[in-house]
Amino acid sequence: MFQNVLAFLFLSTFLHKALNYREHIRIMNAYQMVPARFIVPSFIAFAAAELALGLSLLLRGITVYHAVSLCSLLSVYTFAIGFNLMRGHRHINCGCGGILENEQLNWGLVLRNLLLSFSVVVLWKFRSSYAGEIALIHKLELFMLSLILFSLLYLFKDLFQIKKKLVRLMKMFT
């Protein structure tokens, strides 16, 4: 189930970035880590990697290649966030996209990415040690449960954002 949630996570970040590509390119520029002429090709490469990893996780299941690729991608993102935090660039949108989107950089994002990487490795180790085959009906059940869980996570993130905006609004009027 976590494998499907992970796939939905990367597919949602891809979709968010693809639909808001101008904003994401602006965010990549704000990181000041890639020369301007390589921003668009970098954006395309990262978005394509997220799409490919998300789809292949859903269709194939986690393999050692997924574990290495996901951890590498998360490491690049984590390095970029950490490097900008050390430079004092906190007021940058993280550019994570989808459910992972955050308004500004913080060390919690670094921790979150490290935990995601650790989870990927644990998932791969657990999956590779499990030799049994899962029946199709159970795969469909797990897929639906994963979709529901991901949707709930997305809903709670949106509700939390609404709560933050309401609190800011109330502070303005008091």
Side-chain angles (χ1 to χ4, degrees), residues 74-153:
L74 287 166
S75 294
V76 169
Y77 294 160
T78 304
F79 174 79
I81 292 168
F83 187 71
N84 272 281
L85 285 170
M86 288 190 290
R87 292 193 304 184
H89 298 171
R90 296 181 183 281
H91 300 291
I92 302 173
N93 186 311
C94 78
C96 305
I99 195 170
L100 298 178
E101 191 60 49
N102 218 331
E103 292 178 6
Q104 67 179 22
L105 301 183
N106 61 65
W107 288 106
L109 297 172
V110 171
L111 180 61
R112 180 200 64 199
N113 285 356
L114 291 174
L115 288 173
L116 270 173
S117 293
F118 176 75
S119 300
V120 165
V121 172
V122 168
L123 176 65
W124 170 69
K125 288 300 279 180
F126 175 76
R127 175 89 172 161
S128 64
S129 67
Y130 180 72
E133 200 49 43
I134 299 174
L136 178 61
I137 190 72
H138 296 302
K139 286 182 181 180
L140 290 174
E141 289 171 352
L142 286 173
F143 179 81
M144 292 307 294
L145 284 172
S146 304
L147 191 56
I148 291 168
L149 176 62
F150 182 78
S151 299
L152 286 172
L153 289 171

Coordinates of all heavy atoms in Angstrom, one line a residue, residues 74-153:
L74 N 15.5 12.2 -4.3 CA 15.2 12.9 -3.0 C 16.5 13.5 -2.5 O 16.5 14.5 -1.8 CB 14.6 11.9 -2.1 CG 13.2 11.5 -2.3 CD1 12.8 10.2 -1.5 CD2 12.2 12.6 -2.0
S75 N 17.6 12.9 -2.7 CA 18.9 13.4 -2.3 C 19.2 14.7 -3.0 O 19.7 15.7 -2.3 CB 20.1 12.4 -2.5 OG 19.9 11.3 -1.7
V76 N 19.0 14.8 -4.3 CA 19.2 16.1 -5.0 C 18.3 17.2 -4.4 O 18.8 18.3 -4.1 CB 18.9 15.9 -6.5 CG1 18.9 17.2 -7.2 CG2 20.0 15.0 -7.1
Y77 N 17.0 16.8 -4.2 CA 16.1 17.8 -3.7 C 16.5 18.2 -2.2 O 16.5 19.4 -1.9 CB 14.7 17.3 -3.6 CG 14.1 17.0 -5.0 CD1 13.0 16.1 -5.1 CD2 14.5 17.6 -6.1 CE1 12.4 15.9 -6.3 CE2 13.9 17.4 -7.4 CZ 12.9 16.5 -7.5 OH 12.3 16.3 -8.7
T78 N 16.9 17.3 -1.4 CA 17.3 17.5 -0.1 C 18.6 18.4 0.0 O 18.7 19.3 0.8 CB 17.6 16.2 0.7 OG1 16.4 15.4 0.6 CG2 17.9 16.4 2.1
F79 N 19.5 18.1 -0.9 CA 20.8 18.9 -1.0 C 20.4 20.3 -1.3 O 20.9 21.3 -0.7 CB 21.8 18.3 -2.0 CG 23.0 19.2 -2.2 CD1 24.0 19.2 -1.2 CD2 23.1 20.0 -3.3 CE1 25.1 20.0 -1.4 CE2 24.1 20.8 -3.5 CZ 25.2 20.8 -2.5
A80 N 19.6 20.5 -2.3 CA 19.2 21.9 -2.8 C 18.5 22.7 -1.6 O 18.8 23.8 -1.4 CB 18.3 21.8 -4.0
I81 N 17.6 22.0 -0.9 CA 16.9 22.7 0.2 C 18.0 23.0 1.3 O 18.0 24.1 1.8 CB 15.8 21.8 0.7 CG1 14.7 21.7 -0.3 CG2 15.3 22.3 2.1 CD1 13.7 20.6 0.0
G82 N 18.8 22.0 1.7 CA 19.7 22.2 2.8 C 20.8 23.3 2.4 O 21.1 24.2 3.3
F83 N 21.2 23.3 1.2 CA 22.2 24.3 0.7 C 21.6 25.7 0.8 O 22.3 26.6 1.3 CB 22.7 24.0 -0.7 CG 23.8 24.8 -1.2 CD1 25.1 24.7 -0.7 CD2 23.6 25.8 -2.2 CE1 26.1 25.4 -1.1 CE2 24.6 26.5 -2.6 CZ 25.9 26.4 -2.1
N84 N 20.4 25.9 0.4 CA 19.8 27.2 0.4 C 19.5 27.6 1.9 O 19.6 28.8 2.2 CB 18.5 27.2 -0.4 CG 18.8 27.6 -1.8 OD1 19.0 28.7 -2.1 ND2 18.9 26.6 -2.7
L85 N 19.1 26.7 2.7 CA 18.9 27.0 4.1 C 20.2 27.5 4.8 O 20.2 28.5 5.5 CB 18.4 25.8 4.9 CG 16.9 25.5 4.7 CD1 16.5 24.2 5.3 CD2 16.0 26.6 5.2
M86 N 21.3 26.8 4.4 CA 22.6 27.3 5.0 C 23.0 28.6 4.4 O 23.7 29.4 5.1 CB 23.7 26.2 4.7 CG 23.5 25.0 5.5 SD 24.9 23.8 5.4 CE 24.8 23.2 3.8
R87 N 22.6 29.0 3.2 CA 22.8 30.3 2.7 C 21.9 31.4 3.2 O 22.0 32.5 2.9 CB 22.7 30.3 1.2 CG 23.8 29.5 0.5 CD 23.9 29.7 -1.0 NE 22.7 29.5 -1.7 CZ 22.5 29.5 -3.0 NH1 23.6 29.8 -3.8 NH2 21.4 29.3 -3.6
G88 N 20.9 30.9 4.0 CA 19.9 31.9 4.6 C 18.8 32.2 3.7 O 18.0 33.1 3.9
H89 N 18.6 31.4 2.6 CA 17.5 31.6 1.7 C 16.3 30.8 2.1 O 15.9 29.7 1.6 CB 17.9 31.2 0.3 CG 19.0 32.0 -0.3 ND1 19.6 31.6 -1.5 CD2 19.6 33.1 0.1 CE1 20.6 32.5 -1.7 NE2 20.6 33.4 -0.8
R90 N 15.6 31.3 3.1 CA 14.4 30.6 3.7 C 13.1 30.9 3.0 O 12.2 30.2 3.1 CB 14.3 30.9 5.2 CG 15.5 30.4 6.0 CD 15.3 30.7 7.5 NE 16.4 30.2 8.2 CZ 16.7 29.0 8.6 NH1 15.8 28.1 8.2 NH2 17.7 28.7 9.3
H91 N 13.0 32.1 2.4 CA 11.8 32.6 1.9 C 11.6 32.2 0.4 O 11.1 33.0 -0.4 CB 11.6 34.1 2.1 CG 11.7 34.5 3.5 ND1 10.7 34.2 4.4 CD2 12.7 35.1 4.2 CE1 11.1 34.6 5.6 NE2 12.2 35.2 5.5
I92 N 11.9 31.0 0.2 CA 11.7 30.4 -1.2 C 10.6 29.3 -1.0 O 10.7 28.5 -0.1 CB 13.0 29.7 -1.7 CG1 14.1 30.8 -1.8 CG2 12.7 29.1 -3.1 CD1 15.4 30.1 -2.2
N93 N 9.7 29.2 -1.9 CA 8.7 28.1 -1.9 C 9.5 26.9 -2.2 O 10.4 26.9 -3.0 CB 7.7 28.4 -3.0 CG 6.6 27.4 -3.1 OD1 6.8 26.2 -3.1 ND2 5.4 27.9 -3.2
C94 N 9.2 25.8 -1.6 CA 10.1 24.6 -1.7 C 10.0 24.0 -3.2 O 11.0 23.4 -3.6 CB 9.7 23.5 -0.7 SG 8.2 22.6 -1.1
G95 N 8.9 24.2 -3.9 CA 8.9 23.7 -5.2 C 8.6 22.2 -5.3 O 8.8 21.6 -6.3
C96 N 8.2 21.7 -4.2 CA 8.0 20.2 -4.1 C 6.8 19.8 -4.9 O 6.8 18.7 -5.5 CB 7.8 19.8 -2.7 SG 9.1 20.3 -1.6
G97 N 5.8 20.6 -5.0 CA 4.6 20.3 -5.8 C 3.6 19.3 -5.0 O 4.0 18.6 -4.2
G98 N 2.4 19.4 -5.4 CA 1.4 18.5 -4.9 C 1.2 18.5 -3.4 O 1.2 19.6 -2.8
I99 N 1.0 17.4 -2.8 CA 0.8 17.3 -1.4 C 2.0 17.7 -0.6 O 1.9 18.1 0.6 CB 0.3 15.9 -1.0 CG1 -0.3 15.9 0.4 CG2 1.5 14.9 -1.1 CD1 -1.0 14.5 0.7
L100 N 3.2 17.7 -1.2 CA 4.4 18.1 -0.4 C 4.7 19.5 -0.5 O 5.7 20.0 0.2 CB 5.6 17.3 -1.0 CG 5.5 15.8 -0.9 CD1 6.7 15.1 -1.6 CD2 5.4 15.3 0.5
E101 N 3.9 20.3 -1.2 CA 4.2 21.7 -1.4 C 4.3 22.5 0.0 O 3.5 22.2 0.9 CB 3.2 22.4 -2.3 CG 3.5 23.8 -2.7 CD 4.8 23.8 -3.5 OE1 5.0 23.0 -4.5 OE2 5.7 24.7 -3.2
N102 N 5.3 23.4 0.1 CA 5.5 24.1 1.3 C 5.8 25.6 0.9 O 6.4 25.8 -0.1 CB 6.6 23.5 2.1 CG 6.4 23.6 3.5 OD1 5.7 24.4 4.0 ND2 7.0 22.6 4.2
E103 N 5.3 26.5 1.7 CA 5.4 27.9 1.3 C 6.9 28.4 1.5 O 7.2 29.4 0.8 CB 4.5 28.8 2.2 CG 3.1 28.6 1.9 CD 2.1 29.4 2.8 OE1 2.6 30.2 3.6 OE2 0.9 29.2 2.7
Q104 N 7.7 27.9 2.3 CA 9.0 28.3 2.5 C 9.9 27.2 3.0 O 9.4 26.2 3.5 CB 9.2 29.5 3.4 CG 8.8 29.3 4.8 CD 9.0 30.6 5.6 OE1 9.0 31.7 5.1 NE2 9.2 30.4 6.9
L105 N 11.2 27.3 2.7 CA 12.2 26.3 3.1 C 12.3 26.2 4.6 O 12.3 27.2 5.3 CB 13.5 26.6 2.5 CG 13.6 26.6 0.9 CD1 15.0 26.8 0.4 CD2 12.9 25.4 0.3
N106 N 12.5 25.0 5.1 CA 12.8 24.8 6.5 C 13.5 23.4 6.7 O 13.4 22.6 5.8 CB 11.5 24.9 7.4 CG 10.5 23.9 7.0 OD1 10.7 22.7 7.2 ND2 9.3 24.4 6.5
W107 N 14.0 23.2 7.8 CA 14.8 22.0 8.1 C 13.9 20.8 8.2 O 14.3 19.6 8.0 CB 15.7 22.1 9.3 CG 16.8 23.0 9.1 CD1 17.0 24.3 9.5 CD2 18.0 22.7 8.3 NE1 18.2 24.8 9.1 CE2 18.8 23.9 8.3 CE3 18.4 21.6 7.5 CZ2 20.0 23.9 7.6 CZ3 19.6 21.7 6.8 CH2 20.4 22.8 6.9
G108 N 12.6 21.0 8.4 CA 11.6 19.9 8.4 C 11.5 19.3 7.1 O 11.3 18.0 7.0
L109 N 11.7 20.0 6.0 CA 11.7 19.5 4.6 C 12.8 18.5 4.4 O 12.7 17.5 3.8 CB 11.7 20.6 3.6 CG 10.5 21.5 3.6 CD1 10.8 22.7 2.6 CD2 9.2 20.8 3.2
V110 N 14.0 18.9 5.0 CA 15.2 18.0 4.9 C 14.9 16.7 5.6 O 15.1 15.6 5.1 CB 16.4 18.7 5.5 CG1 17.6 17.8 5.6 CG2 16.8 19.9 4.6
L111 N 14.3 16.8 6.8 CA 14.0 15.6 7.6 C 13.0 14.8 6.9 O 13.1 13.6 6.8 CB 13.5 16.0 9.0 CG 13.1 14.9 9.9 CD1 14.3 14.0 10.2 CD2 12.6 15.4 11.2
R112 N 11.9 15.4 6.3 CA 10.9 14.7 5.6 C 11.5 13.9 4.4 O 11.2 12.8 4.3 CB 9.8 15.7 5.1 CG 8.7 15.0 4.3 CD 8.0 15.9 3.4 NE 8.8 16.4 2.3 CZ 8.6 17.5 1.6 NH1 7.5 18.2 1.9 NH2 9.4 17.9 0.7
N113 N 12.4 14.5 3.7 CA 13.0 13.8 2.5 C 13.9 12.7 3.0 O 13.9 11.6 2.3 CB 13.8 14.8 1.7 CG 12.9 15.7 0.8 OD1 11.6 15.5 0.8 ND2 13.4 16.6 0.1
L114 N 14.6 12.9 4.1 CA 15.4 11.8 4.6 C 14.5 10.6 5.1 O 14.9 9.5 4.8 CB 16.3 12.3 5.8 CG 17.4 13.3 5.4 CD1 18.1 13.8 6.6 CD2 18.4 12.6 4.4
L115 N 13.4 10.9 5.7 CA 12.5 9.9 6.1 C 11.8 9.2 4.9 O 11.7 8.0 5.0 CB 11.4 10.5 7.1 CG 11.9 10.8 8.5 CD1 10.7 11.5 9.2 CD2 12.3 9.6 9.2
L116 N 11.5 9.9 3.9 CA 11.0 9.3 2.7 C 12.0 8.4 2.1 O 11.7 7.3 1.6 CB 10.6 10.4 1.7 CG 9.2 10.9 1.7 CD1 9.0 12.1 0.8 CD2 8.2 9.8 1.4
S117 N 13.3 8.8 2.0 CA 14.4 8.0 1.5 C 14.5 6.7 2.3 O 14.6 5.6 1.7 CB 15.7 8.7 1.4 OG 15.6 9.8 0.5
F118 N 14.5 6.8 3.6 CA 14.6 5.7 4.5 C 13.4 4.7 4.3 O 13.6 3.5 4.2 CB 14.6 6.2 6.0 CG 14.6 5.0 6.9 CD1 15.8 4.3 7.2 CD2 13.5 4.7 7.7 CE1 15.8 3.3 8.1 CE2 13.5 3.7 8.6 CZ 14.6 3.0 8.8
S119 N 12.2 5.3 4.1 CA 11.0 4.5 3.9 C 11.1 3.8 2.6 O 10.7 2.6 2.5 CB 9.8 5.4 3.9 OG 9.6 6.0 5.1
V120 N 11.7 4.4 1.5 CA 11.8 3.7 0.2 C 12.7 2.5 0.4 O 12.4 1.4 -0.1 CB 12.4 4.7 -0.8 CG1 12.9 4.0 -2.0 CG2 11.4 5.7 -1.2
V121 N 13.8 2.7 1.1 CA 14.8 1.5 1.3 C 14.1 0.4 2.1 O 14.2 -0.8 1.7 CB 16.1 2.0 2.0 CG1 17.0 0.8 2.4 CG2 16.8 3.0 1.1
V122 N 13.4 0.8 3.1 CA 12.7 -0.2 4.0 C 11.6 -0.9 3.1 O 11.5 -2.2 3.1 CB 12.0 0.4 5.2 CG1 11.1 -0.5 5.9 CG2 13.1 0.9 6.2
L123 N 10.9 -0.2 2.3 CA 9.9 -0.8 1.4 C 10.5 -1.7 0.5 O 10.0 -2.9 0.3 CB 9.1 0.3 0.7 CG 8.1 -0.1 -0.3 CD1 7.0 -0.9 0.3 CD2 7.6 1.1 -1.1
W124 N 11.6 -1.3 -0.1 CA 12.3 -2.2 -1.1 C 12.8 -3.5 -0.4 O 12.6 -4.6 -0.9 CB 13.5 -1.5 -1.8 CG 14.3 -2.4 -2.5 CD1 14.0 -3.1 -3.7 CD2 15.6 -2.8 -2.2 NE1 15.1 -3.9 -4.1 CE2 16.1 -3.7 -3.2 CE3 16.5 -2.5 -1.1 CZ2 17.3 -4.3 -3.1 CZ3 17.8 -3.1 -1.1 CH2 18.2 -4.0 -2.1
K125 N 13.4 -3.3 0.8 CA 13.9 -4.5 1.5 C 12.8 -5.4 1.9 O 12.9 -6.7 1.8 CB 14.7 -4.1 2.7 CG 16.0 -3.5 2.5 CD 17.0 -4.4 1.7 CE 17.6 -5.4 2.7 NZ 18.5 -6.3 2.0
F126 N 11.7 -4.9 2.3 CA 10.5 -5.7 2.7 C 10.0 -6.4 1.5 O 9.6 -7.6 1.5 CB 9.5 -4.8 3.4 CG 8.2 -5.6 3.7 CD1 8.2 -6.4 4.8 CD2 7.1 -5.4 2.9 CE1 7.0 -7.1 5.1 CE2 5.9 -6.1 3.2 CZ 5.9 -7.0 4.3
R127 N 9.8 -5.7 0.4 CA 9.2 -6.2 -0.8 C 10.1 -7.3 -1.4 O 9.6 -8.3 -1.9 CB 9.1 -5.1 -1.8 CG 8.6 -5.5 -3.2 CD 7.1 -5.5 -3.2 NE 6.7 -5.8 -4.6 CZ 5.6 -6.2 -5.0 NH1 4.7 -6.4 -4.1 NH2 5.3 -6.4 -6.3
S128 N 11.4 -7.1 -1.4 CA 12.4 -8.1 -1.9 C 12.5 -9.3 -1.1 O 12.8 -10.4 -1.6 CB 13.8 -7.5 -2.2 OG 14.3 -7.1 -0.9
S129 N 12.2 -9.2 0.2 CA 12.2 -10.4 1.1 C 10.9 -11.2 1.1 O 10.8 -12.3 1.5 CB 12.6 -10.0 2.5 OG 11.5 -9.3 3.1
Y130 N 9.8 -10.5 0.6 CA 8.5 -11.2 0.5 C 8.4 -12.0 -0.8 O 8.4 -11.4 -1.9 CB 7.4 -10.2 0.6 CG 6.0 -10.8 0.5 CD1 5.5 -11.5 1.6 CD2 5.2 -10.6 -0.6 CE1 4.3 -12.0 1.5 CE2 4.0 -11.2 -0.7 CZ 3.5 -11.9 0.4 OH 2.2 -12.5 0.3
A131 N 8.4 -13.3 -0.7 CA 8.4 -14.1 -2.0 C 7.0 -14.4 -2.5 O 6.9 -14.8 -3.7 CB 9.2 -15.4 -1.7
G132 N 6.0 -14.3 -1.7 CA 4.7 -14.7 -2.1 C 4.1 -13.8 -3.1 O 4.4 -12.6 -3.2
E133 N 3.2 -14.3 -3.9 CA 2.5 -13.5 -4.9 C 1.1 -13.0 -4.4 O 0.4 -13.8 -3.7 CB 2.3 -14.3 -6.2 CG 2.0 -13.6 -7.5 CD 2.9 -12.5 -7.8 OE1 4.1 -12.6 -7.6 OE2 2.4 -11.5 -8.3
I134 N 0.7 -11.8 -4.7 CA -0.5 -11.3 -4.2 C -1.6 -11.4 -5.3 O -1.3 -11.1 -6.4 CB -0.4 -9.8 -3.8 CG1 0.6 -9.6 -2.7 CG2 -1.7 -9.2 -3.3 CD1 1.0 -8.2 -2.3
A135 N -2.8 -11.9 -4.9 CA -3.9 -12.1 -5.9 C -4.3 -10.8 -6.4 O -4.2 -9.7 -5.7 CB -5.0 -12.8 -5.2
L136 N -4.8 -10.8 -7.6 CA -5.2 -9.6 -8.3 C -6.3 -8.8 -7.5 O -6.2 -7.6 -7.4 CB -5.8 -9.9 -9.7 CG -6.3 -8.7 -10.5 CD1 -5.1 -7.7 -10.8 CD2 -6.9 -9.1 -11.8
I137 N -7.2 -9.5 -6.9 CA -8.3 -8.8 -6.2 C -7.7 -8.0 -5.0 O -8.1 -6.9 -4.6 CB -9.4 -9.7 -5.7 CG1 -10.6 -9.0 -5.2 CG2 -8.9 -10.8 -4.7 CD1 -11.4 -8.2 -6.2
H138 N -6.7 -8.6 -4.4 CA -6.0 -8.0 -3.2 C -5.2 -6.8 -3.7 O -5.1 -5.8 -3.0 CB -5.1 -9.0 -2.4 CG -5.9 -10.0 -1.8 ND1 -6.9 -9.8 -0.9 CD2 -5.9 -11.4 -1.9 CE1 -7.5 -10.9 -0.5 NE2 -6.9 -11.9 -1.1
K139 N -4.6 -6.9 -4.9 CA -3.9 -5.8 -5.4 C -4.8 -4.6 -5.7 O -4.5 -3.4 -5.4 CB -3.1 -6.2 -6.7 CG -1.9 -7.0 -6.5 CD -1.3 -7.3 -7.9 CE 0.0 -8.2 -7.6 NZ 0.6 -8.6 -8.9
L140 N -6.0 -4.9 -6.2 CA -7.0 -3.9 -6.5 C -7.4 -3.2 -5.2 O -7.6 -2.0 -5.1 CB -8.2 -4.4 -7.3 CG -7.9 -4.8 -8.7 CD1 -9.1 -5.5 -9.3 CD2 -7.5 -3.6 -9.5
E141 N -7.6 -4.0 -4.1 CA -8.0 -3.5 -2.8 C -6.9 -2.6 -2.3 O -7.2 -1.5 -1.8 CB -8.3 -4.7 -1.9 CG -9.5 -5.5 -2.1 CD -9.6 -6.7 -1.3 OE1 -8.7 -7.1 -0.6 OE2 -10.7 -7.4 -1.3
L142 N -5.7 -3.0 -2.4 CA -4.6 -2.2 -1.9 C -4.5 -0.9 -2.7 O -4.2 0.1 -2.1 CB -3.3 -3.0 -2.0 CG -3.1 -4.1 -0.9 CD1 -1.8 -4.9 -1.2 CD2 -3.0 -3.5 0.5
F143 N -4.7 -1.0 -4.0 CA -4.7 0.2 -4.8 C -5.7 1.2 -4.4 O -5.5 2.4 -4.2 CB -4.9 -0.2 -6.3 CG -4.9 1.0 -7.2 CD1 -3.7 1.5 -7.7 CD2 -6.1 1.5 -7.7 CE1 -3.6 2.6 -8.5 CE2 -6.0 2.6 -8.5 CZ -4.8 3.1 -9.0
M144 N -7.0 0.7 -4.2 CA -8.1 1.6 -3.8 C -7.8 2.2 -2.4 O -8.0 3.3 -2.1 CB -9.4 0.8 -3.8 CG -9.8 0.5 -5.2 SD -9.9 1.9 -6.4 CE -11.2 2.9 -5.7
L145 N -7.3 1.3 -1.5 CA -7.0 1.8 -0.1 C -5.9 2.9 -0.2 O -6.0 3.9 0.5 CB -6.6 0.7 0.8 CG -7.7 -0.2 1.3 CD1 -7.1 -1.4 2.1 CD2 -8.6 0.6 2.2
S146 N -4.9 2.7 -1.0 CA -3.8 3.6 -1.2 C -4.4 4.9 -1.8 O -4.0 6.0 -1.3 CB -2.8 3.1 -2.2 OG -2.3 1.9 -1.7
L147 N -5.2 4.9 -2.7 CA -5.8 6.0 -3.3 C -6.7 6.8 -2.3 O -6.6 8.1 -2.2 CB -6.7 5.7 -4.5 CG -7.2 6.8 -5.4 CD1 -6.0 7.6 -6.0 CD2 -8.0 6.2 -6.6
I148 N -7.4 6.1 -1.5 CA -8.2 6.8 -0.4 C -7.3 7.4 0.6 O -7.5 8.6 1.0 CB -9.1 5.7 0.3 CG1 -10.2 5.3 -0.7 CG2 -9.7 6.3 1.6 CD1 -11.0 4.1 -0.3
L149 N -6.2 6.7 1.0 CA -5.3 7.3 2.0 C -4.6 8.5 1.4 O -4.5 9.6 2.1 CB -4.2 6.2 2.4 CG -3.1 6.7 3.3 CD1 -3.7 7.1 4.6 CD2 -2.1 5.6 3.5
F150 N -4.2 8.5 0.2 CA -3.5 9.6 -0.4 C -4.5 10.8 -0.5 O -4.1 11.9 -0.3 CB -3.0 9.3 -1.8 CG -2.3 10.4 -2.5 CD1 -1.0 10.7 -2.1 CD2 -2.9 11.2 -3.5 CE1 -0.3 11.8 -2.7 CE2 -2.2 12.2 -4.0 CZ -0.9 12.5 -3.7
S151 N -5.7 10.5 -0.9 CA -6.8 11.6 -1.0 C -7.0 12.2 0.4 O -7.2 13.4 0.5 CB -8.1 11.0 -1.6 OG -7.9 10.5 -2.8
L152 N -7.1 11.4 1.4 CA -7.2 11.9 2.8 C -6.0 12.8 3.2 O -6.2 13.9 3.8 CB -7.4 10.8 3.8 CG -8.8 10.1 3.7 CD1 -8.8 8.9 4.6 CD2 -9.9 11.1 4.1
L153 N -4.8 12.4 2.8 CA -3.7 13.2 3.1 C -3.7 14.5 2.4 O -3.4 15.6 3.0 CB -2.4 12.5 2.7 CG -2.0 11.3 3.6 CD1 -0.8 10.5 3.0 CD2 -1.6 11.7 5.0

